[in-house]
């Protein structure tokens, strides 16, 4: 196969998978069938494009091919005549719109699919995973790794959820305003989880950046539909603040650089300005929530660009608010780290000691923070043990190397 054809198919699959699935599923009301149809279309592209050349609009080519596959599959199934007619009319209308005026474009329905994936009829424990696969095209084995379950178990959960969308007739639509508060929380959490996977990096660097960008796109799309929802504004502000620091997370040799040691000149000032403007807009609604709080935390860190110092007392106040609103393990550990910097290492360690050992035993950030605070407190022997645990639990080679350097420093301290 000519490499150009293979790369083109791979690029379209990566960039447009969720958009294509959303368009097909929103009309067929059948996510598994839409996935099968698109998978067959991609396989056809790999056979046809090397011989005939990559089409001018590969995304549109795949959509037409997938639409035909979906129609053929529907004809082979026992479907009520009126349902078959509805599907046929919907796709004919969609294809007419796509080819109108010779433009191979089609509407982006991912936001509707996102609300379908987080519908109350679906078990909340699978909301994020379902969104990651159907809207963003993440493989089940990658999602399973993030949720610490077997790929087989995750695949079964996803299949059951997709079948439920089809069989119970869950609508592909942004819900009416009275139903929004409960639904919105699930959608925001799913988008942020997607950004978190892109940030932490379970795939290669290019895919990682792409996933984070897709999450930001979803955040912008959601805000366009719900411009007066402060938590939606806060989520976008939070993601932009984090994304603004992407290029500073590694040095020229690819080594991990912690936030408080990053070169602020490498931060994206335009993105930070947008994030701060969004945060101010959210504050105008006087409904402070956890995503706004996390964005405010990132804004305090970003202020080091101008002041040259980090306002640790302000971060202590914000983390106290965050753990009140959303007392996750991550928030508690981060609060302890900030207290360790704002007050004393002993105070931070005391906060860590309040956490349930059953929750922290396999939680890598806990051990990394504990090791750091132990070293600051002068207990190098205990710091060595904590660093070794943190390194063993780390999935990131770059973070592991960084912790290994800190481990060497702690070991040198034990030698006097």
């Amino acid at each position: 196969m000519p490499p150009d054809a293979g790369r083109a198919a791979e690029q379209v699959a990566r960039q447009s998978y969720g958009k294509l699935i959303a368009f097909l599923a929103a009309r067929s009301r059948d996510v598994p069938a839409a996935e099968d149809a698109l998978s067959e279309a991609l396989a056809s592209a790999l056979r046809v494009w090397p011989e005939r050349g990559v089409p001018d609009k590969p995304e549109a080519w795949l959509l037409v091919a997938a639409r035909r596959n979906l129609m053929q599959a529907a004809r082979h199934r026992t479907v009520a005549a009126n349902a078959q007619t509805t599907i046929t009319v919907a796709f004919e209308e969609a294809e007419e719109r796509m080819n109108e005026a010779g433009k191979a474009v089609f509407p982006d329905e991912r936001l509707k699919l996102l609300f379908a994936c987080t519908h109350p009829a679906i078990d909340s424990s699978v909301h994020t995973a379902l969104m990651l696969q159907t809207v963003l095209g993440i493989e089940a084995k990658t999602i399973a790794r993030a949720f610490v379950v077997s790929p087989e178990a995750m695949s079964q959960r996803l299949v059951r959820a997709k079948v439920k969308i089809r069989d119970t007739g869950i609508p592909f639509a942004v819900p009416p305003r009275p139903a929004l508060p409960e639904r919105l929380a699930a959608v925001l959490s799913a988008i942020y989880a997607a950004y978190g996977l892109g940030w932490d990096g379970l795939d290669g660097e290019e895919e990682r950046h792409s996933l984070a960008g897709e999450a930001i796109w979803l955040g912008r799309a959601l805000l366009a539909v719900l411009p007066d929802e402060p938590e939606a504004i806060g989520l976008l502000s939070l993601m932009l603040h984090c994304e603004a620091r992407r290029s500073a997370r590694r040095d020229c040799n690819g080594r991990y650089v912690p936030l408080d040691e990053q070169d602020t000149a490498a931060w994206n000032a335009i993105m930070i300005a947008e994030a701060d403007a969004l945060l101010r807009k959210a504050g105008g609604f006087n409904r402070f929530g956890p995503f706004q709080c996390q964005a405010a935390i990132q804004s305090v860190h970003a202020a080091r660009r101008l002041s040259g110092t980090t306002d640790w007392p302000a971060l202590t106040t914000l983390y106290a608010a965050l753990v009140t609103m959303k007392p996750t393990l991550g928030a508690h550990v981060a609060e302890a780290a900030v207290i360790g910097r704002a007050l004393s290492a002993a105070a931070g360690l005391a906060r860590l000691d309040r956490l349930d050992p059953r929750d922290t035993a396999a939680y890598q950030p806990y051990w990394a923070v504990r090791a750091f605070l132990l070293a600051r407190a002068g207990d190098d022997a205990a710091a060595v043990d904590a660093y070794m645990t943190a390194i063993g639990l780390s999935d990131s080679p770059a973070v592991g190397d960084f912790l290994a350097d800190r481990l060497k420093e702690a070991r040198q301290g034990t030698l006097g």
Side-chain angles (χ1 to χ4, degrees), residues 335-407:
E335 182 191 28
V338 168
I339 289 173
R341 298 295 294 268
L343 300 177
S344 67
L349 287 167
R351 191 57 60 96
L352 288 179
D353 289 340
R354 296 182 187 179
L355 301 176
D356 190 333
R358 292 171 296 183
D359 296 331
T360 61
Y363 189 57
Q364 193 270 353
Y366 168 87
W367 291 103
V369 169
R370 187 170 190 84
F372 173 74
L373 294 177
L374 286 167
R376 283 177 67 90
D379 191 346
D380 291 313
V384 166
D385 290 339
Y387 273 127
M388 290 179 67
T389 301
I391 292 169
L393 292 171
S394 180
D395 290 330
S396 166
V399 172
D401 290 343
F402 168 78
L403 293 173
D405 289 340
R406 292 287 177 91
L407 172 62

Side-chain angles (χ1 to χ4, degrees), residues 189-250:
S189 295
I191 293 174
Y192 188 49
Y195 184 80
L197 288 179
W199 178 259
D200 292 336
L202 290 174
D203 296 312
E205 186 65 33
E206 184 179 352
E207 288 81 359
R208 207 164 53 227
H209 198 175
S210 175
L211 181 55
E214 288 292 285
I216 290 173
W217 182 92
L218 287 171
R220 291 190 186 281
L222 185 63
L223 193 56
V225 175
L226 305 170
D228 297 330
E229 289 293 336
E231 277 293 83
I233 301 171
L235 171 61
L236 181 57
S237 174
L238 171 60
M239 293 190 293
L240 290 176
H241 263 305
C242 294
E243 195 65 15
R245 301 196 303 268
R246 177 174 291 277
S247 62
R249 295 179 67 207
R250 303 286 189 268

Side-chain angles (χ1 to χ4, degrees), residues 98-131:
M98 185 188 75
N99 293 315
E100 183 180 350
K103 296 179 181 178
V105 296
F106 58 98
D108 199 323
E109 310 277 29
R110 281 178 288 180
L111 204 56
K112 294 179 181 178
L113 179 56
L114 180 52
F115 274 99
C117 290
T118 54
H119 193 276
I122 297 173
D123 188 339
S124 60
S125 66
V126 80
H127 282 173
T128 297
L130 185 60
M131 186 276 291

Side-chain angles (χ1 to χ4, degrees), residues 126-183:
V126 80
H127 282 173
T128 297
L130 185 60
M131 186 276 291
L132 288 171
Q133 186 176 75
T134 59
V135 181
L136 297 177
I138 308 301
E139 292 183 351
K141 65 179 181 181
T142 301
I143 300 170
R145 213 158 71 234
F147 285 83
V148 198
V149 299
S150 71
E152 294 76 16
M154 179 55 70
S155 293
Q156 290 173 2
R157 293 179 192 175
L158 292 170
V159 168
R160 284 196 296 268
K162 293 171 190 175
V163 169
K164 191 158 194 175
I165 290 176
R166 181 190 66 200
D167 293 349
T168 60
I170 289 175
F172 285 70
V174 176
R177 184 158 292 276
L180 265 180
E182 181 181 356
R183 299 287 302 280

